[in-house]
Amino acid sequence: GWRGADMQNILDFEKDYPTCATILLDKNYRSSKNILDAANAVIQNNDLRKEKNLWTDNDPGAKITYYRAHEETEEVNFITDRIKALAANPNKSFSDFAILYRTNNQSRLFEESLLSKSIPYTMVGGLKFYDRREIKDIIAYLRVIFNPQDNLGLLRIINVPRRGIGDATIGRVQAFATLNSFSLFQALEQAKEIEELSARFASKLVIFIEQLKNLRALYDESKSIEQLINAILNVTNYLAELQADTPEKLQEKTDNIYELLNLAKEVSQKNSDNPLESFLEHVALISDLDSADTENNAIKLMTLHSAKGLEFDTVFLVGLEEGLFPHSRALNDIK
């Protein structure tokens, strides 16, 4: 429907064209009998459908395995352990496996588990979790709040969301910092002293620095990364920027940020003394581990929609739970 299609055209076709002939293309040449039996069992519950039964001359094939986990970490560990065991067979390679999920934000736990077990993987049709723009932006804020001398992080967020701070302004601040042997943060604190800056732009920089200082004070008081991330979103109005830039992907990007909040909660539970430091160390470690090139012999991670037309020897379909797969938005389509 989101591409303008209307399935009612198919459902009403025989009524609209009563003399038409219907030819069912119900033979399948690629899948095993067990897979088709499972597909038929699921699809028969659709009320709005044309009656048909997919069949094949192929062998029954391996049985479908169903595993019910109590929570997502248990599901992830079951799958990655299973892959490692199966891949030990000399006739198997990691490229024989695929993990399919409904939404891209589900990849984070799988990526981290695969990395921890030295299992190579690659993403298909999407970016790895920590390579996504919104994740890099929020992490850059956290890095600068933790360490104001982080010039690279500061350069990333100084105009994110857009504050009207352009390259020319940033260049003048950097020149002032170099001249006085300041860090970029120290130079920004003294923005009103930079002669090359107009009062208007200096004021913008001062407001930005005050925001960062207030966010740091909030964290020092609460020691909560979750509260800090939510404060960053609120103070900067970051989600409004995402809405303006890519409204069609707002839900996906928001889901990614929620997944980052889940990680923050996990880390905070393990280290209550300085969770932000532990969080940033965790992110840095995962990023370092993930720098290897594993395109050739690697597990494929992708959404179910990206997998159309592809074939794999062993597939893990994950997150089959109410509200996620099918997605909660599907409830709006029930008639």
Side-chain angles (χ1 to χ4, degrees):
W2 54 275
R3 280 183 173 167
D6 184 356
M7 70 174 182
Q8 204 64 40
N9 292 333
I10 297 298
L11 296 174
D12 293 342
F13 193 88
E14 289 165 299
K15 181 176 69 176
D16 295 338
Y17 300 93
T19 61
C20 75
T22 300
I23 302 170
L24 290 179
L25 305 179
D26 52 358
K27 183 176 182 180
N28 185 293
Y29 298 87
R30 302 172 74 181
S31 301
S32 67
K33 289 181 179 177
N34 281 329
I35 288 176
L36 291 181
D37 287 346
N40 287 327
V42 171
I43 203 69
Q44 73 180 4
N45 293 295
N46 271 7
D47 293 330
L48 301 176
R49 64 184 292 260
K50 292 296 180 183
E51 187 68 32
K52 56 187 171 296
N53 193 66
L54 301 179
W55 61 279
T56 183
D57 289 330
N58 294 338
D59 294 333
K63 290 185 177 180
I64 294 173
T65 300
Y66 169 67
Y67 175 78
R68 183 171 184 174
H70 292 93
E71 43 86 29
E72 57 186 355
T73 304
E74 183 181 326
E75 176 187 48
V76 168
N77 288 330
F78 168 81
I79 291 171
T80 53
D81 288 342
R82 186 76 179 132
I83 289 174
K84 191 152 192 173
L86 291 172
N89 186 319
N91 297 321
K92 289 276 190 182
S93 65
F94 286 121
S95 58
D96 292 327
F97 299 89
I99 298 175
L100 309 183
Y101 34 75
R102 174 63 180 79
T103 57
N104 276 311
N105 65 292
Q106 293 172 261
S107 74
R108 198 265 302 176
L109 285 173
F110 286 99
E111 292 181 59
E112 296 189 2
S113 181
L114 292 168
L115 286 169
S116 70
K117 292 167 182 164
S118 300
I119 300 175
Y121 75 94
T122 187
M123 305 288 294
V124 177
L127 291 172
K128 293 181 179 180
F129 184 78
Y130 293 104
D131 289 338
R132 295 166 193 168
R133 167 195 160 186
E134 58 278 10
I135 300 303
K136 294 173 81 170
D137 287 344
I138 300 300
I139 289 175
Y141 266 98
L142 297 175
R143 282 169 46 201
V144 172
I145 290 166
F146 177 71
N147 174 22
Q149 311 309 313
D150 186 336
N151 287 347
L152 287 177
L154 198 51
L155 284 172
R156 181 177 182 92
I157 64 173
I158 194 169
N159 198 40
V160 175
R162 285 182 283 271
R163 302 180 172 87
I165 302 173
D167 292 340
T169 299
I170 296 170
R172 292 183 182 111
V173 175
Q174 288 177 310
F176 179 80
T178 301
L179 182 65
N180 294 278
S181 299
F182 290 160
S183 70
L184 188 58
F185 191 93
Q186 290 171 318
L188 289 170
E189 285 183 301
Q190 301 184 45
K192 291 184 178 180
E193 307 299 321
I194 303 175
E195 294 179 359
E196 292 80 2
L197 286 181
S198 68
R200 174 167 158 261
F201 286 110
S203 177
K204 290 181 179 181
L205 295 174
V206 170
I207 291 172
F208 170 59
I209 286 296
E210 287 304 313
Q211 285 181 341
L212 293 177
K213 289 181 176 179
N214 291 337
L215 289 167
R216 176 68 202 205
L218 171 70
Y219 172 72
D220 287 339
E221 182 179 348
S222 68
K223 294 297 182 186
S224 169
I225 315 174
E226 292 174 85
Q227 286 187 34
L228 179 56
I229 293 176
N230 281 317
I232 291 169
L233 297 175
N234 292 330
V235 168
T236 66
N237 210 12
Y238 183 79
L239 294 181
E241 173 114 332
L242 293 182
Q243 168 86 52
D245 287 350
T246 53
E248 73 283 357
K249 291 187 176 181
L250 179 63
Q251 184 61 56
E252 178 183 341
K253 291 178 178 293
T254 303
D255 288 345
N256 289 334
I257 294 173
Y258 285 150
E259 183 57 32
L260 192 69
L261 284 165
N262 288 336
L263 173 61
K265 186 184 298 183
E266 293 172 20
V267 173
S268 296
Q269 290 172 347
K270 294 176 183 176
N271 185 337
S272 58
D273 295 331
N274 197 339
L276 183 54
E277 182 177 15
S278 297
F279 178 90
L280 293 173
E281 286 177 351
H282 175 87
V283 170
L285 175 62
I286 293 299
S287 299
D288 288 343
L289 289 172
D290 200 23
S291 60
D293 181 9
T294 57
E295 286 291 324
N296 293 326
N297 181 26
I299 294 169
K300 303 298 187 292
L301 271 62
M302 69 188 87
T303 64
L304 181 74
H305 297 89
S306 297
K308 287 182 287 189
L310 302 179
E311 292 184 1
F312 299 97
D313 182 77
T314 303
V315 174
F316 293 88
L317 197 58
V318 306
L320 302 180
E321 57 186 77
E322 188 82 19
L324 181 57
F325 204 152
H327 199 277
S328 56
R329 291 194 297 268
L331 295 172
N332 298 329
D333 297 332
I334 295 176
K335 298 179 180 180

